[in-house]
Amino acid sequence: MALARRALGPLLLSPLLGRAALGQSFTPASAPDRPLFEIAQSRGFTYGCAVTAELLADEPEFAALVAQEAGLLVPEYEAKFATLQPEEGRFDTAPLDALLRWAQHFRKPVRGHALIWHNSLPDWVPPALAEGRSRAQRVMEAHFDRVLAHTRAQIRDWDVVNEPIANPPGSDVPEPAGNAGDLRDTPWLRAFGPDYIPMAFRAARQRDLTLRLTLNDYGVEADSPQAEEKRRRLLRLLRGLRAQNVPLDAVGIQAHLQMREAFNPALFTAFVREIRALGLQVLITELDVREVKPPAGDFVARDAAVAQRVHAFASAAFEGGARTLLTWGISDRWSWLHREATVALDPGDVHRGLPYDWELNRKQMWRALARAFLGQPPG
């Protein structure tokens, strides 16, 4: 069945929030009238997506989709170290503040991403960390002081440490074994050793006693030897942190899925349950789908394959105990999957890996998510 083109009504403008501020109702005949976040909410789940302040301000259709469909937001880049503190001691919160104002207007909570990561570091940080442990600790604590105080009123969940686990052999970007053991070799690891992870969580807890503290990583979803090894590494880290009484509340599983990889729902459900058995919540934080290159079939066939994978994955995650799912964007038009050359398809084609396509049609992936939230089999 061909997908119906979505009708976009006239936008309401707000001088405070920018020309793309207010959303409209979407009621295509080919899908339930309720937005995805309401469908999720009706069963005790949370659905949200990644956004940027620039798109919210400059792309009315993007802003309208997010306003309608998402119940939780996460900034793609506005809360990363390089954006917030481009020079030592000079903080720039303007992009994040714009996003937070938009979210507040629509009464949508925001989660933070990410305090400690090896990427998105400004040029001054790696040499500062290399000056020694005490200097590195001052860098970490000064950043936490300012950022957590500034965002306290609106951000109640942070990815405190992002992507700490090293990628095993066979991964897209494997990392050679070394002194890091299970951990990725980063400027933070070189400055502190493995202690940087408990240090970061303890520093965050000291500054905010009720903040949900999350460790976020990827590459643990597939039924493959490398994903199995990364699952083992992540579980070893989590058990070690629990044994040290590190204040950790949740684990984020990014779920940048790849169609070339096999997926075993029972295996993934068991993994989520192992994390839950440690007393930790599980969030799916960055879901999207990368197709094979070149993709096989027409749009209908491709969308059906993506939807089947997404339904299987989301259902397995929910069966294991995950209650929150975010997609990394809302529409293929604005996805990193076509902006990033290392993962993009050939010119003239884009991955169909998000709930809405380039022309803002609701795709079968949207319906797959809705049915997974409702506990229904794939349609």
PDB file of all heavy atoms in Angstrom, residues 77-101:
ATOM      1  N   TYR A  77      23.732  17.806  19.872  1.00  0.00           N
ATOM      2  CA  TYR A  77      25.090  18.299  20.123  1.00  0.00           C
ATOM      3  C   TYR A  77      25.154  19.406  21.153  1.00  0.00           C
ATOM      4  O   TYR A  77      26.232  19.709  21.700  1.00  0.00           O
ATOM      5  CB  TYR A  77      25.727  18.787  18.814  1.00  0.00           C
ATOM      6  CG  TYR A  77      25.157  20.098  18.309  1.00  0.00           C
ATOM      7  CD1 TYR A  77      25.666  21.316  18.736  1.00  0.00           C
ATOM      8  CD2 TYR A  77      24.104  20.118  17.401  1.00  0.00           C
ATOM      9  CE1 TYR A  77      25.136  22.511  18.278  1.00  0.00           C
ATOM     10  CE2 TYR A  77      23.566  21.303  16.950  1.00  0.00           C
ATOM     11  CZ  TYR A  77      24.087  22.495  17.387  1.00  0.00           C
ATOM     12  OH  TYR A  77      23.552  23.680  16.938  1.00  0.00           O
ATOM     13  N   GLU A  78      24.046  20.045  21.481  1.00  0.00           N
ATOM     14  CA  GLU A  78      24.069  21.273  22.274  1.00  0.00           C
ATOM     15  C   GLU A  78      24.560  21.071  23.697  1.00  0.00           C
ATOM     16  O   GLU A  78      24.976  22.033  24.353  1.00  0.00           O
ATOM     17  CB  GLU A  78      22.672  21.912  22.306  1.00  0.00           C
ATOM     18  CG  GLU A  78      22.225  22.519  20.988  1.00  0.00           C
ATOM     19  CD  GLU A  78      21.547  21.509  20.082  1.00  0.00           C
ATOM     20  OE1 GLU A  78      21.608  20.280  20.360  1.00  0.00           O
ATOM     21  OE2 GLU A  78      20.960  21.945  19.068  1.00  0.00           O
ATOM     22  N   ALA A  79      24.515  19.827  24.207  1.00  0.00           N
ATOM     23  CA  ALA A  79      24.950  19.569  25.582  1.00  0.00           C
ATOM     24  C   ALA A  79      26.300  18.863  25.643  1.00  0.00           C
ATOM     25  O   ALA A  79      26.716  18.425  26.715  1.00  0.00           O
ATOM     26  CB  ALA A  79      23.892  18.751  26.321  1.00  0.00           C
ATOM     27  N   LYS A  80      26.983  18.770  24.504  1.00  0.00           N
ATOM     28  CA  LYS A  80      28.302  18.143  24.495  1.00  0.00           C
ATOM     29  C   LYS A  80      29.378  19.143  24.899  1.00  0.00           C
ATOM     30  O   LYS A  80      29.200  20.357  24.806  1.00  0.00           O
ATOM     31  CB  LYS A  80      28.580  17.540  23.111  1.00  0.00           C
ATOM     32  CG  LYS A  80      27.668  16.349  22.805  1.00  0.00           C
ATOM     33  CD  LYS A  80      27.812  15.853  21.380  1.00  0.00           C
ATOM     34  CE  LYS A  80      26.885  14.658  21.135  1.00  0.00           C
ATOM     35  NZ  LYS A  80      26.851  14.242  19.726  1.00  0.00           N
ATOM     36  N   PHE A  81      30.496  18.619  25.338  1.00  0.00           N
ATOM     37  CA  PHE A  81      31.553  19.433  25.941  1.00  0.00           C
ATOM     38  C   PHE A  81      32.022  20.543  25.003  1.00  0.00           C
ATOM     39  O   PHE A  81      32.152  21.710  25.407  1.00  0.00           O
ATOM     40  CB  PHE A  81      32.734  18.524  26.306  1.00  0.00           C
ATOM     41  CG  PHE A  81      33.594  19.014  27.432  1.00  0.00           C
ATOM     42  CD1 PHE A  81      33.813  18.218  28.545  1.00  0.00           C
ATOM     43  CD2 PHE A  81      34.200  20.262  27.415  1.00  0.00           C
ATOM     44  CE1 PHE A  81      34.605  18.644  29.600  1.00  0.00           C
ATOM     45  CE2 PHE A  81      35.004  20.707  28.452  1.00  0.00           C
ATOM     46  CZ  PHE A  81      35.207  19.882  29.554  1.00  0.00           C
ATOM     47  N   ALA A  82      32.258  20.201  23.743  1.00  0.00           N
ATOM     48  CA  ALA A  82      32.815  21.185  22.815  1.00  0.00           C
ATOM     49  C   ALA A  82      31.885  22.364  22.606  1.00  0.00           C
ATOM     50  O   ALA A  82      32.340  23.493  22.398  1.00  0.00           O
ATOM     51  CB  ALA A  82      33.125  20.521  21.477  1.00  0.00           C
ATOM     52  N   THR A  83      30.587  22.128  22.640  1.00  0.00           N
ATOM     53  CA  THR A  83      29.624  23.212  22.476  1.00  0.00           C
ATOM     54  C   THR A  83      29.514  24.044  23.737  1.00  0.00           C
ATOM     55  O   THR A  83      29.492  25.281  23.680  1.00  0.00           O
ATOM     56  CB  THR A  83      28.244  22.641  22.106  1.00  0.00           C
ATOM     57  OG1 THR A  83      28.366  21.883  20.898  1.00  0.00           O
ATOM     58  CG2 THR A  83      27.222  23.752  21.911  1.00  0.00           C
ATOM     59  N   LEU A  84      29.469  23.383  24.883  1.00  0.00           N
ATOM     60  CA  LEU A  84      29.224  24.099  26.137  1.00  0.00           C
ATOM     61  C   LEU A  84      30.449  24.847  26.655  1.00  0.00           C
ATOM     62  O   LEU A  84      30.303  25.884  27.300  1.00  0.00           O
ATOM     63  CB  LEU A  84      28.745  23.119  27.209  1.00  0.00           C
ATOM     64  CG  LEU A  84      27.328  22.579  27.024  1.00  0.00           C
ATOM     65  CD1 LEU A  84      27.031  21.523  28.073  1.00  0.00           C
ATOM     66  CD2 LEU A  84      26.306  23.712  27.108  1.00  0.00           C
ATOM     67  N   GLN A  85      31.650  24.313  26.408  1.00  0.00           N
ATOM     68  CA  GLN A  85      32.856  24.984  26.918  1.00  0.00           C
ATOM     69  C   GLN A  85      33.948  24.981  25.843  1.00  0.00           C
ATOM     70  O   GLN A  85      34.947  24.286  25.956  1.00  0.00           O
ATOM     71  CB  GLN A  85      33.357  24.304  28.203  1.00  0.00           C
ATOM     72  CG  GLN A  85      34.347  25.147  28.976  1.00  0.00           C
ATOM     73  CD  GLN A  85      34.887  24.496  30.233  1.00  0.00           C
ATOM     74  OE1 GLN A  85      35.776  25.042  30.870  1.00  0.00           O
ATOM     75  NE2 GLN A  85      34.391  23.325  30.615  1.00  0.00           N
ATOM     76  N   PRO A  86      33.768  25.780  24.786  1.00  0.00           N
ATOM     77  CA  PRO A  86      34.727  25.768  23.675  1.00  0.00           C
ATOM     78  C   PRO A  86      36.119  26.237  24.078  1.00  0.00           C
ATOM     79  O   PRO A  86      37.111  25.816  23.483  1.00  0.00           O
ATOM     80  CB  PRO A  86      34.087  26.709  22.648  1.00  0.00           C
ATOM     81  CG  PRO A  86      33.160  27.577  23.444  1.00  0.00           C
ATOM     82  CD  PRO A  86      32.660  26.731  24.556  1.00  0.00           C
ATOM     83  N   GLU A  87      36.202  27.101  25.070  1.00  0.00           N
ATOM     84  CA  GLU A  87      37.482  27.536  25.626  1.00  0.00           C
ATOM     85  C   GLU A  87      37.420  27.343  27.133  1.00  0.00           C
ATOM     86  O   GLU A  87      36.351  27.466  27.740  1.00  0.00           O
ATOM     87  CB  GLU A  87      37.751  29.001  25.298  1.00  0.00           C
ATOM     88  CG  GLU A  87      37.825  29.298  23.813  1.00  0.00           C
ATOM     89  CD  GLU A  87      37.934  30.787  23.527  1.00  0.00           C
ATOM     90  OE1 GLU A  87      38.101  31.558  24.497  1.00  0.00           O
ATOM     91  OE2 GLU A  87      37.819  31.163  22.356  1.00  0.00           O
ATOM     92  N   GLU A  88      38.543  27.061  27.735  1.00  0.00           N
ATOM     93  CA  GLU A  88      38.530  26.777  29.166  1.00  0.00           C
ATOM     94  C   GLU A  88      37.967  27.963  29.944  1.00  0.00           C
ATOM     95  O   GLU A  88      38.421  29.103  29.800  1.00  0.00           O
ATOM     96  CB  GLU A  88      39.926  26.435  29.679  1.00  0.00           C
ATOM     97  CG  GLU A  88      39.920  25.996  31.127  1.00  0.00           C
ATOM     98  CD  GLU A  88      41.207  25.346  31.581  1.00  0.00           C
ATOM     99  OE1 GLU A  88      42.214  25.452  30.837  1.00  0.00           O
ATOM    100  OE2 GLU A  88      41.212  24.735  32.669  1.00  0.00           O
ATOM    101  N   GLY A  89      36.968  27.685  30.733  1.00  0.00           N
ATOM    102  CA  GLY A  89      36.347  28.705  31.563  1.00  0.00           C
ATOM    103  C   GLY A  89      35.328  29.567  30.850  1.00  0.00           C
ATOM    104  O   GLY A  89      34.620  30.346  31.504  1.00  0.00           O
ATOM    105  N   ARG A  90      35.218  29.436  29.512  1.00  0.00           N
ATOM    106  CA  ARG A  90      34.202  30.208  28.776  1.00  0.00           C
ATOM    107  C   ARG A  90      33.097  29.266  28.329  1.00  0.00           C
ATOM    108  O   ARG A  90      33.282  28.446  27.435  1.00  0.00           O
ATOM    109  CB  ARG A  90      34.806  30.902  27.551  1.00  0.00           C
ATOM    110  CG  ARG A  90      33.767  31.774  26.809  1.00  0.00           C
ATOM    111  CD  ARG A  90      34.367  32.516  25.642  1.00  0.00           C
ATOM    112  NE  ARG A  90      34.669  31.660  24.510  1.00  0.00           N
ATOM    113  CZ  ARG A  90      33.768  31.243  23.609  1.00  0.00           C
ATOM    114  NH1 ARG A  90      32.497  31.587  23.742  1.00  0.00           N
ATOM    115  NH2 ARG A  90      34.144  30.489  22.586  1.00  0.00           N
ATOM    116  N   PHE A  91      31.961  29.378  28.981  1.00  0.00           N
ATOM    117  CA  PHE A  91      30.836  28.507  28.693  1.00  0.00           C
ATOM    118  C   PHE A  91      29.862  29.225  27.760  1.00  0.00           C
ATOM    119  O   PHE A  91      29.586  30.410  27.926  1.00  0.00           O
ATOM    120  CB  PHE A  91      30.127  28.106  29.981  1.00  0.00           C
ATOM    121  CG  PHE A  91      30.907  27.117  30.806  1.00  0.00           C
ATOM    122  CD1 PHE A  91      31.917  27.545  31.656  1.00  0.00           C
ATOM    123  CD2 PHE A  91      30.637  25.759  30.721  1.00  0.00           C
ATOM    124  CE1 PHE A  91      32.641  26.633  32.413  1.00  0.00           C
ATOM    125  CE2 PHE A  91      31.354  24.846  31.470  1.00  0.00           C
ATOM    126  CZ  PHE A  91      32.359  25.279  32.322  1.00  0.00           C
ATOM    127  N   ASP A  92      29.359  28.469  26.804  1.00  0.00           N
ATOM    128  CA  ASP A  92      28.369  28.991  25.869  1.00  0.00           C
ATOM    129  C   ASP A  92      27.145  28.084  25.928  1.00  0.00           C
ATOM    130  O   ASP A  92      27.116  27.013  25.321  1.00  0.00           O
ATOM    131  CB  ASP A  92      28.933  29.039  24.457  1.00  0.00           C
ATOM    132  CG  ASP A  92      27.932  29.601  23.449  1.00  0.00           C
ATOM    133  OD1 ASP A  92      26.847  30.053  23.873  1.00  0.00           O
ATOM    134  OD2 ASP A  92      28.238  29.588  22.241  1.00  0.00           O
ATOM    135  N   THR A  93      26.139  28.498  26.658  1.00  0.00           N
ATOM    136  CA  THR A  93      24.930  27.694  26.812  1.00  0.00           C
ATOM    137  C   THR A  93      23.802  28.154  25.887  1.00  0.00           C
ATOM    138  O   THR A  93      22.689  27.616  25.968  1.00  0.00           O
ATOM    139  CB  THR A  93      24.430  27.736  28.262  1.00  0.00           C
ATOM    140  OG1 THR A  93      24.061  29.081  28.596  1.00  0.00           O
ATOM    141  CG2 THR A  93      25.499  27.234  29.232  1.00  0.00           C
ATOM    142  N   ALA A  94      24.075  29.121  25.016  1.00  0.00           N
ATOM    143  CA  ALA A  94      22.992  29.692  24.203  1.00  0.00           C
ATOM    144  C   ALA A  94      22.270  28.644  23.354  1.00  0.00           C
ATOM    145  O   ALA A  94      21.034  28.620  23.336  1.00  0.00           O
ATOM    146  CB  ALA A  94      23.533  30.824  23.337  1.00  0.00           C
ATOM    147  N   PRO A  95      22.974  27.761  22.619  1.00  0.00           N
ATOM    148  CA  PRO A  95      22.237  26.770  21.820  1.00  0.00           C
ATOM    149  C   PRO A  95      21.392  25.846  22.692  1.00  0.00           C
ATOM    150  O   PRO A  95      20.237  25.554  22.357  1.00  0.00           O
ATOM    151  CB  PRO A  95      23.346  26.007  21.093  1.00  0.00           C
ATOM    152  CG  PRO A  95      24.501  26.958  21.034  1.00  0.00           C
ATOM    153  CD  PRO A  95      24.435  27.714  22.327  1.00  0.00           C
ATOM    154  N   LEU A  96      21.951  25.384  23.805  1.00  0.00           N
ATOM    155  CA  LEU A  96      21.185  24.518  24.696  1.00  0.00           C
ATOM    156  C   LEU A  96      20.019  25.272  25.325  1.00  0.00           C
ATOM    157  O   LEU A  96      18.910  24.729  25.446  1.00  0.00           O
ATOM    158  CB  LEU A  96      22.091  23.947  25.782  1.00  0.00           C
ATOM    159  CG  LEU A  96      21.419  22.993  26.783  1.00  0.00           C
ATOM    160  CD1 LEU A  96      20.791  21.804  26.078  1.00  0.00           C
ATOM    161  CD2 LEU A  96      22.432  22.526  27.829  1.00  0.00           C
ATOM    162  N   ASP A  97      20.235  26.510  25.695  1.00  0.00           N
ATOM    163  CA  ASP A  97      19.153  27.298  26.287  1.00  0.00           C
ATOM    164  C   ASP A  97      17.996  27.476  25.316  1.00  0.00           C
ATOM    165  O   ASP A  97      16.823  27.435  25.712  1.00  0.00           O
ATOM    166  CB  ASP A  97      19.682  28.667  26.725  1.00  0.00           C
ATOM    167  CG  ASP A  97      20.626  28.583  27.911  1.00  0.00           C
ATOM    168  OD1 ASP A  97      20.615  27.545  28.608  1.00  0.00           O
ATOM    169  OD2 ASP A  97      21.369  29.553  28.140  1.00  0.00           O
ATOM    170  N   ALA A  98      18.303  27.671  24.031  1.00  0.00           N
ATOM    171  CA  ALA A  98      17.238  27.806  23.033  1.00  0.00           C
ATOM    172  C   ALA A  98      16.415  26.528  22.951  1.00  0.00           C
ATOM    173  O   ALA A  98      15.179  26.566  22.873  1.00  0.00           O
ATOM    174  CB  ALA A  98      17.843  28.155  21.670  1.00  0.00           C
ATOM    175  N   LEU A  99      17.099  25.389  22.970  1.00  0.00           N
ATOM    176  CA  LEU A  99      16.403  24.110  22.929  1.00  0.00           C
ATOM    177  C   LEU A  99      15.545  23.923  24.187  1.00  0.00           C
ATOM    178  O   LEU A  99      14.394  23.480  24.111  1.00  0.00           O
ATOM    179  CB  LEU A  99      17.433  22.990  22.796  1.00  0.00           C
ATOM    180  CG  LEU A  99      16.956  21.574  22.495  1.00  0.00           C
ATOM    181  CD1 LEU A  99      18.085  20.791  21.819  1.00  0.00           C
ATOM    182  CD2 LEU A  99      16.511  20.837  23.745  1.00  0.00           C
ATOM    183  N   LEU A 100      16.101  24.282  25.334  1.00  0.00           N
ATOM    184  CA  LEU A 100      15.362  24.127  26.595  1.00  0.00           C
ATOM    185  C   LEU A 100      14.133  25.036  26.646  1.00  0.00           C
ATOM    186  O   LEU A 100      13.089  24.640  27.182  1.00  0.00           O
ATOM    187  CB  LEU A 100      16.287  24.395  27.780  1.00  0.00           C
ATOM    188  CG  LEU A 100      17.395  23.366  28.009  1.00  0.00           C
ATOM    189  CD1 LEU A 100      18.327  23.826  29.132  1.00  0.00           C
ATOM    190  CD2 LEU A 100      16.816  21.992  28.335  1.00  0.00           C
ATOM    191  N   ARG A 101      14.244  26.229  26.079  1.00  0.00           N
ATOM    192  CA  ARG A 101      13.068  27.112  26.046  1.00  0.00           C
ATOM    193  C   ARG A 101      11.963  26.510  25.195  1.00  0.00           C
ATOM    194  O   ARG A 101      10.784  26.568  25.548  1.00  0.00           O
ATOM    195  CB  ARG A 101      13.457  28.501  25.515  1.00  0.00           C
ATOM    196  CG  ARG A 101      14.214  29.368  26.501  1.00  0.00           C
ATOM    197  CD  ARG A 101      14.262  30.813  26.034  1.00  0.00           C
ATOM    198  NE  ARG A 101      14.928  30.973  24.751  1.00  0.00           N
ATOM    199  CZ  ARG A 101      16.236  31.148  24.608  1.00  0.00           C
ATOM    200  NH1 ARG A 101      17.037  31.168  25.680  1.00  0.00           N
ATOM    201  NH2 ARG A 101      16.765  31.308  23.413  1.00  0.00           N
TER     202      ARG A 101
END
